[in-house]
């Protein structure tokens, strides 16, 4: 293998201050796991980090967003229970809402801080790392030679060119929105992916006047048009959405000393529109933090989107180099559990502990959007299946609009599609918008991971009355369309 330190043989000529077996750049989920595993075997391991020594998930991602959603759901239930004969109006204390988000975030972060504080000080370097033309790591006043390098530098919000300067303090991102000390009166959210949808709905439920803009007529990246249309239908009942809009300009304007933001855009009909309000939340995705690191000096090639080429999706290793790029930094699947696995694996691989380098079989693609109703995608997407001429497939379907328990709970809006392979009787993938989607998604992901057939899934119990009975209806539909015999049962029990 080619090693980072192979690029230099004369340590003195490059003023090397330290030589280590493993250097880890980045202390998020992937980096911390890699450090822990490598440190079990190697004593001369160093971890370098700039900024907070915690994780994207805890600091600016899944945990604070779910804390905000939890408050929003309480308010929504209070304000929308009249159909049950329960009449109430929620009184929302915006300062308390945002304070709890930060307090609980700090609680979660304290466990990470305690762990990081337990690491020896000489193995932690606080600063920005850069890899020079000799393959050496420059950080602060040190020049470090490492036999193997793990890059776990995470990701940052993507901001369109010029927007930060034009919007100034009226611009928010997922990195800054949770620092608000009170709920604003109005907000535009640009981007209808997971981050944009979750935050737009949460702020709406908390009484903020929210307008959601998206370039395409699509939400949550849904690729099954039927599911996408159903998701838009379900969400439109409470969200103001302008999908298929083109933003031409953004900026700020002042009136009587008050500064507000504006967005000039064309709607889906081609009509010029203007939005004006307090903040613009830019939720146009995240990009990996790798461009300025200098990984090209290690022989790593990046594509036009800064994604590393020759990446092993099992270990994060780049070709036969002793370089591992893991977590959000490799732009593979930017999810915490994936970053955790990749960091764990890389931390073992660099120490030749290959027995523990693969801690689970390759999992199917699996994403959850925690809006209400939830959106889930598992396995192959419908376009991927349709593009494979060798696949014979059917689509099993169930609507949750009249599904028994969903209707009882007043959450009866949704649709599930399961893509079944006729040759193998296996699930290729699924897409869903609906109640309890996170749990149905886990069941389907488990089935794909463990190669379970449709009959095996139908042989498992489905308790009545539960929302999960809707899954059984969709599985039966798959089975019917495959023409596979089974003992027929009355599917009306799913509804009544």
């Amino acid at each position: 293998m080619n090693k980072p330190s192979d690029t230099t043989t004369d340590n003195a000529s490059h003023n090397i201050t330290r030589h280590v077996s493993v250097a880890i750049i980045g202390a998020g989920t992937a980096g911390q796991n890699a450090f822990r595993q490598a440190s079990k075997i190697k004593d001369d391991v160093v971890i370098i980090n700039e900024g907070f020594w915690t994780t994207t998930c805890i600091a600016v991602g899944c945990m604070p967003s779910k804390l905000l959603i939890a408050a929003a759901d309480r308010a929504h239930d209070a304000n929308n229970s009249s159909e049950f004969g329960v009449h109430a109006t929620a009184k929302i204390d915006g300062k308390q809402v945002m304070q709890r988000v930060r307090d609980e975030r700090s609680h979660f972060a304290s466990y990470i801080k305690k762990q990081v504080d337990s690491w020896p000080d000489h193995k932690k370097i606080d600063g920005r790392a850069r890899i020079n033309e000799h393959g050496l790591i420059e950080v602060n006043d040190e020049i470090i030679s490492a036999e193997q390098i793990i890059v776990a530098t995470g990701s940052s919000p993507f901001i369109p060119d010029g927007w930060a300067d034009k919007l100034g303090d009226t611009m928010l991102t997922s990195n800054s929105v949770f620092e608000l000390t009170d709920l604003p009166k109005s907000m535009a959210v640009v981007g209808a992916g997971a981050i944009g949808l979750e935050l737009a709905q949460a702020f709406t439920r908390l009484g903020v006047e929210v307008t959601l803009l998206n370039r395409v007529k699509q939400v949550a990246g849904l690729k099954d048009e039927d599911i996408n249309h159903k998701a838009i239908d379900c969400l439109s009942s409470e969200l103001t959405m302008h999908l298929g809009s083109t933003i031409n300009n953004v900026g700020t304007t002042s009136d009587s000393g008050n500064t507000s933001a504006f967005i000039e855009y064309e709607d889906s009909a081609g009509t010029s529109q203007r939005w004006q309000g307090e903040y613009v939340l830019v939720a146009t995705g995240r990009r990996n933090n790798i461009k300025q690191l200098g990984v090209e000096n290690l022989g790593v090639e990046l594509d036009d989107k800064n994604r590393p080429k020759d990446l092993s999706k099992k270990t994060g290793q780049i070709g036969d180099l002793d370089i591992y790029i893991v977590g959000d930094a490799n732009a593979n699947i930017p999810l915490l559990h994936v970053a955790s696995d990749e960091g764990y694996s890389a931390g073992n691989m660099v120490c030749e502990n290959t027995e523990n380098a693969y801690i689970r079989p390759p999992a199917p693609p699996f994403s959850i959007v925690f809006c209400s109703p939830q959106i889930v995608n598992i396995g192959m997407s419908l376009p991927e299946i349709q593009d494979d001429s060798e696949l014979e497939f059917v689509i099993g379907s169930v609507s949750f609009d009249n599904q028994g328990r969903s209707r009882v709970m007043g959450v009866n809006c949704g649709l599930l599609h399961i893509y079944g392979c006729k040759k193998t009787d296996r699930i290729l993938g699924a897409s869903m918008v609906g109640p309890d989607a996170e749990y149905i998604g886990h069941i389907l992901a488990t089935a794909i991971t463990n190669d379970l057939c449709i009959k095996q899934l139908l042989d498992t119990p489905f308790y009545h009355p539960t929302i999960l009975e809707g899954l059984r209806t969709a599985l039966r539909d798959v089975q019917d369309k495959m023409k596979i015999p089974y003992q027929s049962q009355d599917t009306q029990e799913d509804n009544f």
Side-chain angles (χ1 to χ4, degrees):
M1 288 187 184
N2 298 317
K3 298 181 179 180
S5 58
D6 288 344
T7 57
T8 179
T9 57
D10 186 357
N11 290 359
S13 65
H14 298 296
N15 299 315
I16 292 173
T17 59
R18 192 190 309 199
H19 178 84
V20 297
S21 296
V22 183
I24 298 155
I25 305 175
T29 298
Q32 290 186 24
N33 266 359
F35 179 78
R36 285 195 297 269
Q37 294 309 117
S39 296
K40 292 177 181 179
I41 302 171
K42 301 283 187 178
D43 186 57
D44 58 337
V45 178
V46 65
I47 184 166
I48 306 163
N49 186 65
E50 180 186 30
F52 53 76
W53 286 72
T54 181
T55 69
T56 297
C57 173
I58 287 176
V60 296
C62 37
M63 299 312 286
S65 65
K66 302 312 166 288
L67 286 163
L68 190 73
I69 289 170
D73 288 347
R74 299 294 196 284
H76 178 76
D77 288 345
N79 289 326
N80 293 273
S81 296
S82 58
E83 67 173 297
F84 298 95
V86 179
H87 302 276
T89 300
K91 181 180 178 181
I92 299 169
D93 184 334
K95 291 182 179 180
Q96 186 176 348
V97 168
M98 299 309 297
Q99 188 62 53
R100 181 178 185 269
V101 168
R102 288 191 297 278
D103 287 347
E104 288 298 306
R105 178 180 65 176
S106 296
H107 172 76
F108 293 125
S110 67
Y111 294 99
I112 301 294
K113 183 179 184 300
K114 182 178 180 181
Q115 182 178 161
V116 170
D117 287 346
S118 71
W119 298 342
D121 288 341
H122 70 278
K123 293 187 177 183
K124 296 179 292 187
I125 301 176
D126 195 344
R128 173 176 290 190
R130 178 185 171 274
I131 298 166
N132 66 23
E133 64 273 17
H134 303 292
L136 302 172
I137 302 170
E138 298 179 359
V139 54
N140 301 335
D141 296 326
E142 288 205 62
I143 298 178
I144 300 171
S145 170
E147 293 177 17
Q148 302 184 87
I149 295 176
I150 298 175
V151 175
T153 46
S155 63
S156 298
F158 171 75
I159 302 170
D161 290 342
W163 282 29
D165 292 333
K166 290 181 177 181
L167 290 169
D169 292 340
T170 68
M171 188 186 81
L172 298 170
T173 69
S174 56
N175 276 14
S176 62
V177 67
F178 304 112
E179 305 311 316
L180 290 172
T181 57
D182 200 350
L183 293 169
K185 291 183 175 62
S186 59
M187 173 188 294
V189 177
V190 180
I195 295 171
L197 272 185
E198 290 181 2
L199 295 181
Q201 187 181 58
F203 279 113
T204 295
R205 290 182 165 190
L206 289 166
V208 180
E209 186 180 321
V210 177
T211 298
L212 177 64
L213 300 164
N214 200 49
R215 181 176 53 84
V216 295
K217 294 181 180 180
Q218 185 184 58
V219 296
L222 285 166
K223 297 178 181 179
D224 184 319
E225 281 305 307
D226 290 341
I227 304 296
N228 183 53
H229 291 153
K230 188 62 180 180
I232 293 170
D233 177 55
C234 293
L235 293 164
S236 293
S237 63
E238 60 178 300
L239 269 179
T240 300
M241 298 191 290
H242 295 286
L243 306 177
S245 297
T246 301
I247 295 176
N248 297 318
N249 192 27
V250 300
T252 60
T253 183
S254 295
D255 182 22
S256 302
N258 296 318
T259 300
S260 59
F262 70 81
I263 299 175
E264 295 171 348
Y265 66 97
E266 287 185 10
D267 61 22
S268 58
T271 304
S272 295
Q273 303 283 359
R274 179 184 171 96
W275 171 90
Q276 187 169 321
E278 201 168 344
Y279 288 104
V280 174
L281 172 58
V282 182
T284 49
R286 297 179 69 91
R287 299 292 186 272
N288 60 343
N289 298 326
I290 202 171
K291 190 173 183 180
Q292 307 301 321
L293 185 59
V295 291
E296 68 276 6
N297 292 320
L298 298 172
V300 177
E301 293 184 50
L302 303 177
D303 64 16
D304 59 352
K305 294 184 179 179
N306 296 325
R307 297 172 300 196
K309 298 180 180 180
D310 299 323
L311 172 76
S312 167
K313 293 184 178 180
K314 289 184 178 179
T315 64
Q317 185 174 7
I318 306 299
D320 64 352
L321 299 174
D322 278 342
I323 313 298
Y324 299 78
I325 302 181
V326 296
D328 289 5
N330 65 32
N332 176 26
I333 302 176
L335 297 172
L336 179 138
H337 60 276
V338 176
S340 178
D341 285 354
E342 290 177 352
Y344 187 101
S345 180
N348 284 297
M349 285 291 289
V350 295
C351 300
E352 299 181 358
N353 182 16
T354 55
E355 181 180 345
N356 291 324
Y358 311 97
I359 60 172
R360 67 175 77 186
F366 184 11
S367 66
I368 303 174
V369 182
F370 292 90
C371 54
S372 181
Q374 295 174 341
I375 296 170
V376 164
N377 290 293
I378 312 102
M380 296 178 69
S381 69
L382 183 56
E384 288 173 332
I385 294 169
Q386 291 170 331
D387 288 343
D388 191 333
S389 59
E390 296 184 2
L391 285 177
E392 294 183 40
F393 70 97
V394 300
I395 301 177
S397 178
V398 63
S399 169
F400 286 85
D401 293 0
N402 199 38
Q403 195 270 335
R405 182 64 184 278
S406 300
R407 191 170 182 86
V408 166
M409 302 300 293
V411 291
N412 50 309
C413 189
L415 179 65
L416 166 62
H417 278 178
I418 299 175
Y419 317 126
C421 179
K422 293 182 72 173
K423 289 183 179 180
T424 64
D425 187 31
R426 300 303 193 269
I427 295 171
L428 298 169
S431 187
M432 175 183 178
V433 56
D436 278 0
E438 61 181 294
Y439 308 113
I440 292 173
H442 274 91
I443 292 171
L444 292 171
T446 298
I448 296 172
T449 301
N450 292 281
D451 198 31
L452 301 180
C453 68
I454 303 298
K455 183 180 184 303
Q456 286 173 310
L457 280 171
L458 284 170
D459 283 343
T460 60
F462 289 84
Y463 202 90
H464 177 74
T466 61
I467 291 173
L468 291 176
E469 286 179 292
L471 170 60
R472 179 177 59 188
T473 301
L475 290 169
R476 285 174 173 171
D477 193 32
V478 171
Q479 197 170 55
D480 279 340
K481 290 173 179 175
M482 286 181 175
K483 305 299 181 185
I484 298 172
Y486 69 100
Q487 186 175 356
S488 178
Q489 299 180 46
D490 185 1
T491 59
Q492 288 297 315
E493 67 189 64
D494 293 351
N495 297 330
F496 304 106

